[in-house]
Amino acid sequence: MEERKKFTFSRRGFIRTSALAGGGILLGVNFLNACKESAQPPVNIANLNFKEFNAFIKIAENGYVTIFSPNPEIGQGVKTSMPMLIAEELDVPWEHVTVEQAGLDTENFTRQVAGGSQSIRHGWEPLRQTGAIAKQMLIQAAAARWEVEPYTCTASNGVITNQAGKQLGYGDVVNDAALLPVPENAVLKDPKDFKIIGKDAINVDVHKIVTGQPLYGLDYTAPGMKYASVLRPPAFGQTLKSFDASEAKKVGGVIDVLKFGDKVAVIANNTWAAMKGKHKLTAQWNDTTLESTEDHDAKLNAILNGSKFEVRREDGNVNSAFSEADSVIERTYESPFLPHNCMEPMNFYANVTAERIHLVGPIQTPAGTAKRIAHVLERDEKEIDLEMTRMGGGFGRRLYGDFAEEAALISNGAKLPIKVVFSREDDMAAGTYRPAIKYRIKAALKDGKVTAYHLKEAAINSNMYGLIPHFFPAGAIKNYKVETGNYQSNITTGAWRAPYTNFLAFAEQSFFDEIAKELAIDPVKLRMDLLDNVNDGEDERIEYSAARMKETIKLAAEKGNWGKAAENVYQGFAAYYSHNTHVAEVVDITLQNGFPKVEKVTVAVDCGIVVNPTGAINQVEGGVIDGIGHAMYGNFAFDNGKPKATNFDAYRLIRMNETPKVETYFVENNLSPTGLGEPGLPPAGGALANAITAATGKRMLTQPFIEHFNTDTREVRG
């Protein structure tokens, strides 16, 4: 049996206050180890403003528990899974737990972010410590009442029991516990004793979602609130010269028109009037640099063919290996820009007064957004109150608070509480897009082995994030080099679900199949052979685990019946590590009139301990379908700085009848959990591309794959 760990927990990291107005105990905790050492609990609990806590537990006298969650909920399930960690160690029935969203606390929090699939990974031990210490305090209170030693008592399902069989509920002793000192440490459960972690839990907001109760930014209203629709430059690279608002002001419900920067806001009593008024505006624009997709294509080709690169990693001597090779393979893979297309368009509420700045809305980076707004308004951050709503999708778009800044600037200028609402056209035309990227990969083969691997990246604005050079096959090939180059564009780019790896995985996993074909070996065997070259821990730069990746590959191949597909079913394979998680996928397709139909995707995932299986499966399968859909259909182009598509009539998404069956399997272990919101997406495009090649003999070098087919005759193009 694995020995239970004992963790030291700082008293400053666990805020206990007593004498709640309604009885009970409020336990404020260092959520994600984010509580600053100077954080102090409120003195007067009767007048407590919950925003003064990073996160906290409230235990009522009836034994029911409220857990306040400070992290933004973007649909990844943290509002359910993170409180599960606390409830597990607190040892209360999950059905007795209520979860509420906390607001932003810029003084006491250092990480209040939804992004990178890191929330559970960072919160795994701190949150469990929180629940364990709370339980220990309750046990101590019960033991004192019984006049016995605490170690002779146990707690389970919100009830404390002593050796004589006497019992007390948490609610019975909660006020006594409030008077006790906070323990220095707590014993965490052995995973075999988990009652909540690892069990299916329904999303805590599901009832509100299905019954249409207000949760999202678009639902938010406030007394006196007005709506704003914003006219922005129609092309990237344009600035405002002049505008005429006379016709807009004639629209019923429009109350004002306000210029701010190179934008014009129409303020109205409702969204319809605001949007109608915006369409009545006339404006003249100055042109600076208006770029088209063809311009970007030429720029990226020039980078790949040039010599201006930044070396991200270099092992051995690739040039020497290429000169000695029996054969050399080289391919160039291309991807387009992509918008985020969240179901809920961008929106935000702001009420800027001389005393306070009240902000409410869906944002992945509340602290950073508040800081930027304080800067643009030349105000103190301490004057800002920011409340987070549930988000109707984000995928990285809501990392960027431009829409919140707009609301604040308009409210400040109009002296009114303002809610900015994007139309779908606004959302697609004024986005922060996945950058267009090209990868050129070259491999040297000698004596049946891969002896060199050289990857070059050319991307739009790629220096914003940089390539990840220490993922597979880093460490698996002796001579290995990664270089990057970029072109700075006026078009705004940024994080898009699984940044960089969303396309890099397709390029590399497709290329591995090219190598396997050249060496006449099975694609899965090639990957396993390369992983055999890696000794985990030998190179501290390597971020993946070869052993865990091999186990994941074996599970996917077994469950996906790799190499044993039925007649007329073609398979493709891919395996990738991202966001600290190993994923392998087998895609099964058929050809219908020469056009690929994805029938099934089998997914194996090593994400450590699975906290909420239902939520985990939803995240993995959603990522797979997203990856399949965008690789197959997603395309976004620009003409003189303007997007060619501004709504779903012109932008192709995967449709219901095109979504495959997805079967998800988890590698079972007791390792700490890792990310799930993004890792399922990157391998999907590569596995699909490899399946299409198996079916048609044609190699997919560019996305979207649909452009390789004649959609009228459903025949593959050469």
Side-chain angles (χ1 to χ4, degrees):
M1 179 184 299
E2 182 181 352
E3 184 179 353
R4 296 183 183 182
K5 291 184 178 180
K6 182 179 287 187
F7 292 94
T8 299
F9 200 86
S10 167
R11 288 179 183 272
R12 290 185 178 182
F14 196 104
I15 305 167
R16 175 182 53 76
T17 54
S18 59
L20 272 174
I25 183 172
L26 187 68
L27 300 168
V29 300
N30 175 343
F31 208 89
L32 302 183
N33 282 336
C35 205
K36 295 181 180 177
E37 288 296 308
S38 61
Q40 296 293 326
V43 175
N44 185 357
I45 193 68
N47 298 318
L48 173 66
N49 175 358
F50 286 151
K51 290 182 182 179
E52 295 183 20
F53 284 89
N54 291 39
F56 36 82
I57 307 168
K58 185 166 67 174
I59 303 176
E61 289 182 317
N62 64 2
Y64 278 69
V65 177
T66 299
I67 299 175
F68 291 79
S69 175
N71 275 33
E73 175 56 73
I74 198 175
Q76 79 281 40
V78 294
K79 194 175 176 183
T80 302
S81 56
M82 297 181 85
M84 288 173 70
L85 305 182
I86 297 174
E88 177 65 71
E89 298 290 349
L90 183 59
D91 225 324
V92 292
W94 181 244
E95 57 269 22
H96 291 180
V97 174
T98 298
V99 179
E100 294 188 20
Q101 179 71 57
L104 173 67
D105 184 344
T106 56
E107 291 188 2
N108 296 327
F109 271 97
T110 57
R111 190 185 188 275
Q112 224 173 343
V113 174
S117 300
Q118 297 296 300
S119 295
I120 291 295
R121 176 172 173 258
H122 283 283
W124 174 243
E125 288 193 0
L127 298 185
R128 292 169 61 210
Q129 291 176 36
T130 297
I133 287 179
K135 180 175 73 173
Q136 188 167 332
M137 292 170 68
L138 293 161
I139 290 175
Q140 288 175 342
R145 185 175 297 187
W146 287 321
E147 297 182 342
V148 299
E149 291 294 332
Y151 73 84
T152 66
C153 306
T154 59
S156 178
N157 293 321
V159 176
I160 304 159
T161 305
N162 66 18
Q163 288 180 331
K166 294 181 180 180
Q167 293 186 330
L168 288 169
Y170 284 180
D172 298 326
V173 297
V174 65
N175 291 316
D176 294 345
L179 303 176
L180 298 176
V182 177
E184 288 288 355
N185 51 56
V187 177
L188 299 183
K189 287 184 178 181
D190 189 297
K192 68 179 178 58
D193 297 323
F194 287 162
K195 301 174 184 176
I196 295 174
I197 295 173
K199 306 298 189 297
D200 291 333
I202 297 173
N203 188 307
V204 295
D205 284 335
V206 69
H207 180 73
K208 292 181 179 179
I209 292 171
V210 299
T211 57
Q213 297 180 46
L215 275 173
Y216 300 92
L218 283 176
D219 299 326
Y220 185 80
T221 59
M225 184 181 83
K226 303 301 179 183
Y227 295 85
S229 184
V230 178
L231 178 68
R232 303 171 184 85
F236 289 92
Q238 288 185 325
T239 57
L240 181 64
K241 183 188 298 183
S242 63
F243 72 99
D244 183 351
S246 56
E247 292 301 312
K249 291 179 178 179
K250 295 177 183 178
V251 174
V254 170
I255 60 175
D256 199 4
V257 176
L258 178 71
K259 176 184 179 296
F260 63 108
D262 286 311
K263 305 174 184 178
V264 183
V266 176
I267 302 169
N269 292 321
N270 53 68
T271 54
W272 173 247
M275 291 179 179
K276 188 175 180 181
K278 184 186 74 172
H279 288 301
K280 294 291 185 179
L281 290 172
T282 57
Q284 290 74 45
W285 307 92
N286 293 309
D287 294 341
T288 54
T289 302
L290 302 180
E291 302 167 355
S292 297
T293 295
E294 292 74 15
D295 300 323
H296 297 137
D297 189 67
K299 295 290 186 183
L300 296 183
N301 281 333
I303 291 170
L304 286 180
N305 295 327
S307 58
K308 293 183 179 180
F309 288 94
E310 181 177 348
V311 177
R312 300 284 182 170
R313 176 169 175 146
E314 186 171 13
D315 301 338
N317 189 325
V318 294
N319 292 332
S320 176
F322 283 123
S323 67
E324 298 171 0
D326 296 332
S327 61
V328 173
I329 303 175
E330 182 176 292
R331 299 287 185 270
T332 300
Y333 301 88
E334 306 175 19
S335 70
F337 290 93
L338 286 180
H340 293 83
N341 285 329
C342 307
M343 186 61 68
E344 177 193 23
M346 301 303 108
N347 65 90
F348 222 80
Y349 167 85
N351 185 16
V352 180
T353 66
E355 296 77 27
R356 303 295 299 172
I357 300 172
H358 184 205
L359 306 171
V360 185
I363 187 70
Q364 292 178 245
T365 52
T369 297
K371 184 175 183 177
R372 287 191 297 272
I373 288 174
H375 176 73
V376 298
L377 295 182
E378 298 182 345
R379 298 282 291 268
D380 192 322
E381 279 185 67
K382 295 180 180 179
E383 298 175 28
I384 295 179
D385 297 317
L386 192 153
E387 299 176 44
M388 291 170 282
T389 63
R390 191 179 180 94
M391 290 174 257
F395 313 112
R397 176 61 181 96
R398 287 188 162 98
L399 291 169
Y400 310 96
D402 51 293
F403 44 93
E405 290 180 40
E406 288 182 352
L409 287 167
I410 297 167
S411 175
N412 187 56
K415 308 304 178 187
L416 291 168
I418 293 292
K419 183 175 180 179
V420 166
V421 179
F422 281 43
S423 66
R424 177 58 60 192
E425 289 79 8
D426 292 334
D427 208 47
M428 290 183 71
T432 299
Y433 311 97
R434 182 186 84 169
I437 299 179
K438 295 192 180 193
Y439 291 114
R440 181 166 294 168
I441 312 177
K442 187 177 179 182
L445 310 180
K446 185 174 179 60
D447 299 328
K449 303 290 184 182
V450 184
T451 57
Y453 187 93
H454 189 185
L455 171 66
K456 290 182 178 180
E457 175 196 85
I460 303 296
N461 304 333
S462 69
N463 63 335
M464 295 173 63
Y465 303 101
L467 187 75
I468 301 167
H470 305 305
F471 288 2
F472 182 77
I477 301 170
K478 182 178 180 180
N479 303 293
Y480 175 84
K481 188 175 183 178
V482 175
E483 297 180 290
T484 61
N486 71 86
Y487 168 71
Q488 292 297 301
S489 170
N490 287 324
I491 295 171
T492 54
T493 62
W496 189 94
R497 192 175 189 176
Y500 276 83
T501 61
N502 58 60
F503 179 68
L504 177 58
F506 152 71
E508 292 194 304
Q509 292 298 307
S510 296
F511 191 67
F512 288 139
D513 267 38
E514 294 269 10
I515 294 173
K517 180 181 178 182
E518 183 73 13
L519 295 177
I521 63 173
D522 180 80
V524 170
K525 186 179 186 307
L526 170 68
R527 291 163 173 83
M528 296 292 277
D529 288 346
L530 288 172
L531 287 165
D532 284 340
N533 297 331
V534 182
N535 294 317
D536 287 336
E538 189 172 84
D539 183 345
E540 63 182 15
R541 296 173 298 171
I542 300 297
E543 298 185 37
Y544 65 93
S545 163
R548 295 179 73 173
M549 181 61 85
K550 286 192 286 187
E551 286 301 310
T552 308
I553 290 173
K554 288 177 183 177
L555 182 61
E558 174 194 345
K559 297 297 185 180
N561 291 316
W562 175 254
K564 303 174 185 176
E567 187 177 359
N568 297 323
V569 174
Y570 305 92
Q571 294 185 313
F573 182 85
Y576 207 74
Y577 167 90
S578 65
H579 303 279
N580 309 101
T581 296
H582 303 78
V583 181
E585 299 177 13
V586 177
V587 167
D588 291 355
I589 70 169
T590 58
L591 292 179
Q592 298 187 1
N593 296 321
F595 193 81
K597 175 176 173 53
V598 186
E599 302 288 351
K600 186 176 77 169
V601 183
T602 304
V603 190
V605 181
D606 183 351
C607 61
I609 293 173
V610 178
V611 176
N612 180 6
T614 295
I617 290 171
N618 287 341
Q619 287 299 296
V620 172
E621 295 185 357
V624 168
I625 292 171
D626 198 9
I628 293 286
H630 281 93
M632 192 73 194
Y633 305 108
N635 196 4
F636 201 74
F638 292 86
D639 186 12
N640 288 323
K642 294 183 180 181
K644 291 184 178 181
T646 57
N647 212 317
F648 293 132
D649 61 333
Y651 181 76
R652 181 77 155 85
L653 289 168
I654 192 169
R655 297 165 183 164
M656 290 293 289
N657 66 338
E658 295 164 340
T659 58
K661 177 182 179 182
V662 182
E663 294 182 354
T664 303
Y665 301 90
F666 295 99
V667 175
E668 295 183 5
N669 57 47
N670 285 331
L671 299 172
S672 298
T674 53
L676 273 180
E678 293 162 289
L681 185 149
L688 174 57
N690 291 333
I692 291 174
T693 300
T696 67
K698 303 295 182 181
R699 173 55 60 186
M700 303 292 104
L701 297 176
T702 61
Q703 291 185 359
F705 303 153
I706 193 172
E707 295 189 352
H708 294 263
F709 295 84
N710 185 324
T711 53
D712 295 326
T713 63
R714 297 286 170 139
E715 292 178 350
V716 67
R717 292 175 178 171

